[in-house]
Amino acid sequence: MFSIKMRAAQNGKHLSGAECLLPDGADIPAHSNALLARALDHSRGAPDEIHLTLRAVESAAVVSLPALPVREIRAATPAAGRAAAVKILAELGVPDADLLWEKFRSTYALRGAMLLNIDTGERLEPNPERGIRATCLDAADTPPAARQHKNHFREALILATKVADAPGVVAEICVSDDPDYVAGYVASRASGYVRVTPLKERGSADGGRIFLFRGDAATAARCVEYLERTPVLVRVQS
Ligand code: PML
Ligand code: MG
């Protein structure tokens, strides 16, 4: 298989990124072009640097997962949305779920997510300045044209499906960092993907992700390895 990753920046500041995971025989130039088109057409600005990386991936290791089932909660206000998210996390056994919003502040500056031990409060990312990236993932059978523009919901569902399958992950909580996109979600194998909107005020860029983890150090190491390196293809109903 081939992994293709795109990241675009302006004056050294990250603008956009996307990736694909392609089986043997896929039209690699067509997918690469679609990612380039996406990099060149971003609402946050024109990039002055684009990195496109192609790497062969061991296809015997690929995990295939059905997308998590989806439901949606529409709240009257961001505070009500956050309360709904906290309630689901509490039901999943996350202690002090209402205190997570404080932790969320430290995710705003991260490129990746926070990996948080929910029993000790310890952060487990190997590089806390960067956070942990859930990467090496894609939806199975994505046509090149579908890659040219960002689809928040679809991309989040694919990522959340991989994260929920990682060793030790109890749940994930995400708020979009896009100022015009006020939705987010709580996801886990037990709850499925629960889309919650709104979780923040329109115009706010305060978004991030926390992967809520429970387990010992060996499980944490397996979790990081899975999130960052195990190739996962998600089967999404279209
Ligand atoms: C992001 O990429 O900004 C996160 C998107 C969260 C998507 C929530 C949804 O629409 O279900
Ligand atoms: Mg974003």
Side-chain angles (χ1 to χ4, degrees):
M1 299 188 85
F2 257 96
S3 152
I4 312 179
K5 289 187 181 171
M6 173 281 285
R7 58 195 169 83
Q10 187 189 57
N11 297 324
K13 194 168 164 285
H14 175 79
L15 273 184
S16 77
E19 69 173 297
C20 27
L21 205 53
L22 300 172
D24 250 7
D27 188 344
I28 291 173
H31 289 273
S32 306
N33 263 329
L35 290 184
L36 267 182
R38 173 165 165 164
L40 289 165
D41 176 29
H42 198 276
S43 59
R44 285 205 281 167
D48 53 25
E49 197 172 326
I50 301 171
H51 291 258
L52 199 65
T53 314
L54 287 84
R55 192 169 278 129
V57 170
E58 185 56 65
S59 57
V62 175
V63 176
S64 168
L65 298 172
L68 291 172
V70 178
R71 69 184 171 97
E72 183 177 57
I73 295 176
R74 285 184 174 267
T77 61
R82 289 193 289 267
V86 164
K87 183 161 177 282
I88 299 165
L89 291 172
E91 284 163 7
L92 290 168
V94 175
D96 299 325
D98 52 331
L99 302 182
L100 282 177
W101 299 110
E102 270 312 305
K103 302 249 182 220
F104 231 91
R105 289 177 198 287
S106 359
T107 68
Y108 300 159
L110 301 178
R111 285 277 311 280
M114 182 187 292
L115 180 63
L116 183 69
N117 184 321
I118 52 175
D119 296 314
T120 64
E122 190 189 352
R123 285 181 59 179
L124 301 170
E125 310 99 82
N127 177 348
E129 262 151 50
R130 177 168 157 270
I132 183 153
R133 305 298 304 261
T135 180
C136 211
L137 50 88
D138 200 353
D141 305 320
T142 305
R147 302 197 186 274
Q148 288 191 17
H149 301 286
K150 174 156 178 150
N151 180 332
H152 288 82
F153 164 70
R154 186 181 156 90
E155 290 169 26
L157 176 62
I158 295 162
L159 184 145
T161 298
K162 175 172 186 179
V163 172
D165 193 56
V169 169
V170 173
E172 174 191 356
I173 176 154
C174 164
V175 180
S176 176
D177 59 356
D178 183 334
D180 293 326
Y181 203 85
V182 295
Y185 62 87
V186 173
S188 72
R189 265 189 287 185
S191 63
Y193 181 100
V194 188
R195 176 168 206 267
V196 185
T197 189
L199 277 177
K200 64 174 190 186
E201 302 290 346
R202 192 163 292 280
S204 162
D206 292 347
R209 282 188 162 93
I210 305 182
F211 304 154
L212 300 155
F213 171 90
R214 173 169 276 152
D216 58 15
T219 313
R222 283 195 296 124
C223 179
V224 169
E225 170 71 23
Y226 185 83
L227 290 171
E228 295 192 327
R229 278 179 283 281
T230 302
V232 170
L233 280 177
V234 177
R235 305 189 299 276
V236 185
Q237 304 275 10
S238 46

Short mmCIF file of all heavy atoms in Angstrom, two decimals, residues 26-79:
data_model
loop_
_atom_site.label_atom_id
_atom_site.label_comp_id
_atom_site.label_asym_id
_atom_site.label_seq_id
_atom_site.Cartn_x
_atom_site.Cartn_y
_atom_site.Cartn_z
N ALA A 26 -4.11 1.50 -6.97
CA ALA A 26 -4.84 2.77 -6.95
C ALA A 26 -4.11 3.79 -7.83
O ALA A 26 -2.90 3.65 -8.07
CB ALA A 26 -4.95 3.27 -5.52
N ASP A 27 -4.85 4.78 -8.27
CA ASP A 27 -4.27 5.82 -9.13
C ASP A 27 -3.55 6.85 -8.23
O ASP A 27 -4.13 7.87 -7.85
CB ASP A 27 -5.40 6.46 -9.94
CG ASP A 27 -4.87 7.41 -10.99
OD1 ASP A 27 -3.67 7.80 -10.90
OD2 ASP A 27 -5.64 7.78 -11.89
N ILE A 28 -2.30 6.55 -7.91
CA ILE A 28 -1.56 7.39 -6.95
C ILE A 28 -1.42 8.84 -7.43
O ILE A 28 -1.64 9.77 -6.66
CB ILE A 28 -0.20 6.73 -6.63
CG1 ILE A 28 -0.46 5.44 -5.83
CG2 ILE A 28 0.70 7.67 -5.84
CD1 ILE A 28 0.76 4.60 -5.59
N PRO A 29 -1.08 9.08 -8.73
CA PRO A 29 -0.99 10.48 -9.17
C PRO A 29 -2.32 11.22 -9.01
O PRO A 29 -2.34 12.39 -8.62
CB PRO A 29 -0.60 10.36 -10.66
CG PRO A 29 0.10 9.04 -10.75
CD PRO A 29 -0.60 8.14 -9.77
N ALA A 30 -3.44 10.57 -9.28
CA ALA A 30 -4.74 11.25 -9.16
C ALA A 30 -5.02 11.65 -7.71
O ALA A 30 -5.48 12.76 -7.43
CB ALA A 30 -5.87 10.36 -9.69
N HIS A 31 -4.72 10.75 -6.77
CA HIS A 31 -4.94 11.07 -5.36
C HIS A 31 -3.97 12.17 -4.90
O HIS A 31 -4.35 13.06 -4.13
CB HIS A 31 -4.79 9.81 -4.50
CG HIS A 31 -5.93 8.84 -4.67
ND1 HIS A 31 -7.09 8.92 -3.94
CD2 HIS A 31 -6.08 7.79 -5.51
CE1 HIS A 31 -7.91 7.94 -4.31
NE2 HIS A 31 -7.31 7.24 -5.26
N SER A 32 -2.72 12.11 -5.38
CA SER A 32 -1.75 13.14 -5.00
C SER A 32 -2.19 14.50 -5.50
O SER A 32 -2.11 15.51 -4.79
CB SER A 32 -0.37 12.83 -5.60
OG SER A 32 0.04 11.54 -5.24
N ASN A 33 -2.68 14.53 -6.74
CA ASN A 33 -3.18 15.79 -7.30
C ASN A 33 -4.33 16.35 -6.51
O ASN A 33 -4.44 17.57 -6.30
CB ASN A 33 -3.67 15.56 -8.74
CG ASN A 33 -2.60 15.94 -9.73
OD1 ASN A 33 -1.80 16.84 -9.46
ND2 ASN A 33 -2.57 15.24 -10.85
N ALA A 34 -5.23 15.48 -6.08
CA ALA A 34 -6.40 15.94 -5.31
C ALA A 34 -5.93 16.57 -3.98
O ALA A 34 -6.45 17.61 -3.56
CB ALA A 34 -7.34 14.78 -5.05
N LEU A 35 -4.93 15.95 -3.35
CA LEU A 35 -4.42 16.53 -2.10
C LEU A 35 -3.73 17.87 -2.35
O LEU A 35 -3.84 18.80 -1.56
CB LEU A 35 -3.45 15.56 -1.41
CG LEU A 35 -4.06 14.30 -0.81
CD1 LEU A 35 -2.98 13.50 -0.08
CD2 LEU A 35 -5.19 14.63 0.15
N LEU A 36 -3.03 17.97 -3.50
CA LEU A 36 -2.39 19.24 -3.84
C LEU A 36 -3.43 20.33 -4.08
O LEU A 36 -3.29 21.46 -3.62
CB LEU A 36 -1.56 19.08 -5.12
CG LEU A 36 -0.10 18.72 -4.95
CD1 LEU A 36 0.58 18.64 -6.32
CD2 LEU A 36 0.61 19.77 -4.08
N ALA A 37 -4.51 19.95 -4.79
CA ALA A 37 -5.58 20.92 -5.05
C ALA A 37 -6.17 21.40 -3.73
O ALA A 37 -6.46 22.58 -3.54
CB ALA A 37 -6.67 20.27 -5.91
N ARG A 38 -6.31 20.48 -2.79
CA ARG A 38 -6.85 20.86 -1.47
C ARG A 38 -5.91 21.82 -0.75
O ARG A 38 -6.34 22.81 -0.16
CB ARG A 38 -7.06 19.59 -0.64
CG ARG A 38 -7.46 19.86 0.78
CD ARG A 38 -7.99 18.62 1.43
NE ARG A 38 -8.05 18.76 2.87
CZ ARG A 38 -8.74 17.96 3.67
NH1 ARG A 38 -9.44 16.98 3.15
NH2 ARG A 38 -8.74 18.13 4.96
N ALA A 39 -4.61 21.56 -0.84
CA ALA A 39 -3.64 22.44 -0.18
C ALA A 39 -3.68 23.85 -0.76
O ALA A 39 -3.52 24.83 -0.04
CB ALA A 39 -2.23 21.85 -0.33
N LEU A 40 -3.90 23.92 -2.09
CA LEU A 40 -3.83 25.22 -2.76
C LEU A 40 -5.11 26.04 -2.61
O LEU A 40 -5.16 27.20 -2.98
CB LEU A 40 -3.52 25.01 -4.25
CG LEU A 40 -2.10 24.53 -4.52
CD1 LEU A 40 -1.96 23.99 -5.93
CD2 LEU A 40 -1.11 25.67 -4.27
N ASP A 41 -6.16 25.41 -2.10
CA ASP A 41 -7.45 26.09 -2.01
C ASP A 41 -7.96 25.97 -0.59
O ASP A 41 -8.82 25.15 -0.28
CB ASP A 41 -8.43 25.44 -3.01
CG ASP A 41 -9.81 26.04 -2.89
OD1 ASP A 41 -9.90 27.21 -2.52
OD2 ASP A 41 -10.79 25.32 -3.16
N HIS A 42 -7.40 26.80 0.31
CA HIS A 42 -7.80 26.70 1.71
C HIS A 42 -8.32 28.04 2.19
O HIS A 42 -7.73 29.07 1.91
CB HIS A 42 -6.62 26.23 2.55
CG HIS A 42 -7.04 25.71 3.88
ND1 HIS A 42 -7.27 26.53 4.95
CD2 HIS A 42 -7.33 24.45 4.30
CE1 HIS A 42 -7.67 25.79 5.98
NE2 HIS A 42 -7.71 24.53 5.60
N SER A 43 -9.43 27.99 2.94
CA SER A 43 -10.07 29.25 3.37
C SER A 43 -9.16 30.06 4.29
O SER A 43 -9.31 31.26 4.40
CB SER A 43 -11.39 28.94 4.06
OG SER A 43 -11.14 28.11 5.18
N ARG A 44 -8.21 29.39 4.93
CA ARG A 44 -7.37 30.14 5.87
C ARG A 44 -6.21 30.86 5.20
O ARG A 44 -5.47 31.58 5.86
CB ARG A 44 -6.85 29.19 6.96
CG ARG A 44 -7.95 28.85 7.96
CD ARG A 44 -7.37 28.46 9.30
NE ARG A 44 -6.90 27.10 9.30
CZ ARG A 44 -6.14 26.58 10.26
NH1 ARG A 44 -5.76 27.32 11.26
NH2 ARG A 44 -5.77 25.32 10.20
N GLY A 45 -6.04 30.66 3.86
CA GLY A 45 -5.00 31.41 3.16
C GLY A 45 -4.24 30.59 2.14
O GLY A 45 -4.46 29.39 2.02
N ALA A 46 -3.35 31.29 1.42
CA ALA A 46 -2.56 30.61 0.38
C ALA A 46 -1.27 30.08 1.00
O ALA A 46 -0.56 30.82 1.67
CB ALA A 46 -2.25 31.59 -0.74
N PRO A 47 -0.94 28.82 0.77
CA PRO A 47 0.29 28.27 1.34
C PRO A 47 1.52 28.78 0.59
O PRO A 47 1.46 29.05 -0.60
CB PRO A 47 0.12 26.77 1.15
CG PRO A 47 -0.81 26.62 0.00
CD PRO A 47 -1.71 27.83 0.01
N ASP A 48 2.64 28.92 1.29
CA ASP A 48 3.91 29.19 0.60
C ASP A 48 4.82 27.96 0.67
O ASP A 48 5.93 27.97 0.19
CB ASP A 48 4.59 30.44 1.15
CG ASP A 48 4.75 30.41 2.66
OD1 ASP A 48 4.80 29.30 3.22
OD2 ASP A 48 4.81 31.49 3.28
N GLU A 49 4.32 26.91 1.30
CA GLU A 49 5.09 25.67 1.37
C GLU A 49 4.11 24.50 1.45
O GLU A 49 3.19 24.53 2.28
CB GLU A 49 5.95 25.71 2.63
CG GLU A 49 7.07 24.71 2.62
CD GLU A 49 8.01 24.91 3.81
OE1 GLU A 49 8.22 26.05 4.23
OE2 GLU A 49 8.47 23.89 4.32
N ILE A 50 4.30 23.51 0.58
CA ILE A 50 3.45 22.31 0.61
C ILE A 50 4.36 21.09 0.63
O ILE A 50 5.26 20.98 -0.20
CB ILE A 50 2.52 22.24 -0.62
CG1 ILE A 50 1.62 23.47 -0.70
CG2 ILE A 50 1.66 20.97 -0.57
CD1 ILE A 50 0.82 23.56 -1.99
N HIS A 51 4.11 20.22 1.56
CA HIS A 51 4.86 18.96 1.60
C HIS A 51 3.95 17.82 1.20
O HIS A 51 2.85 17.68 1.76
CB HIS A 51 5.38 18.68 3.01
CG HIS A 51 6.44 19.63 3.42
ND1 HIS A 51 7.78 19.30 3.41
CD2 HIS A 51 6.37 20.92 3.83
CE1 HIS A 51 8.48 20.35 3.80
NE2 HIS A 51 7.65 21.34 4.07
N LEU A 52 4.39 17.05 0.24
CA LEU A 52 3.64 15.87 -0.17
C LEU A 52 4.60 14.68 0.02
O LEU A 52 5.67 14.66 -0.58
CB LEU A 52 3.24 16.01 -1.64
CG LEU A 52 2.09 15.14 -2.12
CD1 LEU A 52 0.80 15.52 -1.44
CD2 LEU A 52 1.93 15.30 -3.63
N THR A 53 4.23 13.75 0.88
CA THR A 53 5.12 12.63 1.17
C THR A 53 4.45 11.33 0.78
O THR A 53 3.30 11.08 1.18
CB THR A 53 5.41 12.57 2.69
OG1 THR A 53 5.73 13.87 3.14
CG2 THR A 53 6.56 11.62 3.00
N LEU A 54 5.13 10.51 0.00
CA LEU A 54 4.59 9.20 -0.36
C LEU A 54 5.48 8.14 0.25
O LEU A 54 6.70 8.22 0.16
CB LEU A 54 4.57 9.03 -1.88
CG LEU A 54 3.48 9.83 -2.61
CD1 LEU A 54 3.93 11.23 -2.88
CD2 LEU A 54 3.09 9.13 -3.89
N ARG A 55 4.84 7.17 0.90
CA ARG A 55 5.64 6.16 1.60
C ARG A 55 4.96 4.80 1.44
O ARG A 55 3.73 4.71 1.59
CB ARG A 55 5.71 6.55 3.07
CG ARG A 55 6.72 5.78 3.86
CD ARG A 55 6.93 6.38 5.25
NE ARG A 55 7.84 7.51 5.27
CZ ARG A 55 7.59 8.70 5.81
NH1 ARG A 55 6.46 8.93 6.40
NH2 ARG A 55 8.49 9.66 5.78
N ALA A 56 5.73 3.78 1.17
CA ALA A 56 5.15 2.44 1.09
C ALA A 56 4.82 1.95 2.50
O ALA A 56 5.55 2.23 3.45
CB ALA A 56 6.13 1.48 0.44
N VAL A 57 3.68 1.26 2.64
CA VAL A 57 3.22 0.76 3.94
C VAL A 57 3.01 -0.75 3.82
O VAL A 57 2.51 -1.23 2.80
CB VAL A 57 1.87 1.44 4.32
CG1 VAL A 57 1.23 0.78 5.52
CG2 VAL A 57 2.07 2.92 4.57
N GLU A 58 3.39 -1.48 4.85
CA GLU A 58 3.24 -2.93 4.87
C GLU A 58 1.75 -3.30 4.86
O GLU A 58 1.05 -3.06 5.85
CB GLU A 58 3.92 -3.45 6.15
CG GLU A 58 3.97 -4.93 6.29
CD GLU A 58 4.64 -5.62 5.12
OE1 GLU A 58 5.85 -5.39 4.91
OE2 GLU A 58 3.94 -6.37 4.42
N SER A 59 1.25 -3.84 3.76
CA SER A 59 -0.21 -4.02 3.68
C SER A 59 -0.71 -5.21 4.50
O SER A 59 -1.90 -5.27 4.83
CB SER A 59 -0.67 -4.14 2.23
OG SER A 59 -0.01 -5.19 1.61
N ALA A 60 0.18 -6.12 4.88
CA ALA A 60 -0.27 -7.24 5.71
C ALA A 60 -0.76 -6.75 7.06
O ALA A 60 -1.53 -7.40 7.75
CB ALA A 60 0.89 -8.22 5.90
N ALA A 61 -0.31 -5.54 7.47
CA ALA A 61 -0.64 -5.03 8.80
C ALA A 61 -1.92 -4.22 8.84
O ALA A 61 -2.33 -3.74 9.90
CB ALA A 61 0.52 -4.15 9.29
N VAL A 62 -2.60 -4.04 7.71
CA VAL A 62 -3.75 -3.12 7.68
C VAL A 62 -4.94 -3.67 8.46
O VAL A 62 -5.33 -4.83 8.31
CB VAL A 62 -4.20 -2.86 6.23
CG1 VAL A 62 -5.46 -2.00 6.20
CG2 VAL A 62 -3.10 -2.17 5.48
N VAL A 63 -5.52 -2.80 9.29
CA VAL A 63 -6.72 -3.15 10.05
C VAL A 63 -7.93 -2.54 9.32
O VAL A 63 -7.89 -1.38 8.92
CB VAL A 63 -6.63 -2.56 11.48
CG1 VAL A 63 -7.91 -2.81 12.27
CG2 VAL A 63 -5.42 -3.13 12.21
N SER A 64 -8.99 -3.33 9.17
CA SER A 64 -10.20 -2.82 8.51
C SER A 64 -11.31 -2.73 9.54
O SER A 64 -11.60 -3.71 10.24
CB SER A 64 -10.56 -3.77 7.38
OG SER A 64 -11.84 -3.49 6.89
N LEU A 65 -11.93 -1.55 9.68
CA LEU A 65 -12.95 -1.35 10.72
C LEU A 65 -14.22 -0.76 10.11
O LEU A 65 -14.13 0.13 9.25
CB LEU A 65 -12.45 -0.33 11.76
CG LEU A 65 -11.21 -0.64 12.58
CD1 LEU A 65 -10.82 0.60 13.39
CD2 LEU A 65 -11.47 -1.82 13.51
N PRO A 66 -15.41 -1.20 10.58
CA PRO A 66 -16.62 -0.49 10.18
C PRO A 66 -16.67 0.84 10.92
O PRO A 66 -16.25 0.92 12.09
CB PRO A 66 -17.75 -1.42 10.67
CG PRO A 66 -17.15 -2.20 11.80
CD PRO A 66 -15.67 -2.30 11.53
N ALA A 67 -17.17 1.90 10.28
CA ALA A 67 -17.27 3.20 10.95
C ALA A 67 -18.18 3.07 12.17
O ALA A 67 -19.14 2.29 12.17
CB ALA A 67 -17.84 4.24 9.98
N LEU A 68 -17.87 3.83 13.22
CA LEU A 68 -18.74 3.84 14.41
C LEU A 68 -20.15 4.27 14.00
O LEU A 68 -20.31 5.10 13.10
CB LEU A 68 -18.22 4.86 15.42
CG LEU A 68 -16.90 4.56 16.13
CD1 LEU A 68 -16.47 5.79 16.95
CD2 LEU A 68 -17.01 3.33 17.02
N PRO A 69 -21.18 3.74 14.67
CA PRO A 69 -22.52 4.25 14.42
C PRO A 69 -22.61 5.71 14.89
O PRO A 69 -21.93 6.10 15.83
CB PRO A 69 -23.42 3.34 15.27
CG PRO A 69 -22.53 2.66 16.23
CD PRO A 69 -21.14 2.66 15.66
N VAL A 70 -23.45 6.49 14.21
CA VAL A 70 -23.51 7.94 14.45
C VAL A 70 -24.87 8.35 15.00
O VAL A 70 -25.89 7.87 14.53
CB VAL A 70 -23.28 8.71 13.12
CG1 VAL A 70 -23.39 10.21 13.33
CG2 VAL A 70 -21.92 8.34 12.54
N ARG A 71 -24.88 9.22 16.00
CA ARG A 71 -26.12 9.92 16.36
C ARG A 71 -25.76 11.36 16.66
O ARG A 71 -24.58 11.71 16.80
CB ARG A 71 -26.84 9.26 17.52
CG ARG A 71 -26.18 9.34 18.86
CD ARG A 71 -27.00 8.53 19.88
NE ARG A 71 -26.30 8.41 21.13
CZ ARG A 71 -26.50 9.18 22.20
NH1 ARG A 71 -27.38 10.17 22.15
NH2 ARG A 71 -25.80 9.01 23.32
N GLU A 72 -26.79 12.20 16.77
CA GLU A 72 -26.52 13.63 16.90
C GLU A 72 -27.32 14.23 18.04
O GLU A 72 -28.49 13.89 18.24
CB GLU A 72 -26.89 14.34 15.60
CG GLU A 72 -26.58 15.82 15.65
CD GLU A 72 -26.86 16.54 14.34
OE1 GLU A 72 -28.02 16.48 13.87
OE2 GLU A 72 -25.93 17.16 13.80
N ILE A 73 -26.67 15.13 18.79
CA ILE A 73 -27.38 15.91 19.81
C ILE A 73 -27.30 17.37 19.39
O ILE A 73 -26.21 17.91 19.18
CB ILE A 73 -26.72 15.73 21.20
CG1 ILE A 73 -26.86 14.28 21.67
CG2 ILE A 73 -27.34 16.69 22.22
CD1 ILE A 73 -26.16 13.98 22.99
N ARG A 74 -28.48 17.99 19.25
CA ARG A 74 -28.52 19.42 18.95
C ARG A 74 -28.91 20.15 20.21
O ARG A 74 -29.99 19.92 20.76
CB ARG A 74 -29.54 19.70 17.85
CG ARG A 74 -29.03 19.28 16.51
CD ARG A 74 -29.99 19.65 15.39
NE ARG A 74 -29.39 19.34 14.11
CZ ARG A 74 -28.69 20.22 13.39
NH1 ARG A 74 -28.57 21.46 13.80
NH2 ARG A 74 -28.14 19.85 12.25
N ALA A 75 -28.03 21.01 20.67
CA ALA A 75 -28.28 21.71 21.93
C ALA A 75 -28.67 23.16 21.63
O ALA A 75 -28.39 23.68 20.56
CB ALA A 75 -27.02 21.67 22.79
N ALA A 76 -29.30 23.81 22.63
CA ALA A 76 -29.76 25.18 22.42
C ALA A 76 -28.59 26.17 22.52
O ALA A 76 -28.58 27.21 21.85
CB ALA A 76 -30.83 25.53 23.46
N THR A 77 -27.60 25.85 23.33
CA THR A 77 -26.47 26.76 23.54
C THR A 77 -25.18 25.93 23.65
O THR A 77 -25.25 24.73 23.94
CB THR A 77 -26.62 27.53 24.88
OG1 THR A 77 -26.64 26.55 25.94
CG2 THR A 77 -27.90 28.35 24.92
N PRO A 78 -24.00 26.57 23.50
CA PRO A 78 -22.75 25.83 23.71
C PRO A 78 -22.67 25.23 25.12
O PRO A 78 -22.20 24.10 25.28
CB PRO A 78 -21.66 26.90 23.50
CG PRO A 78 -22.29 27.89 22.58
CD PRO A 78 -23.74 27.93 22.96
N ALA A 79 -23.16 25.95 26.12
CA ALA A 79 -23.10 25.41 27.49
C ALA A 79 -23.94 24.13 27.59
O ALA A 79 -23.51 23.15 28.22
CB ALA A 79 -23.59 26.46 28.49
#
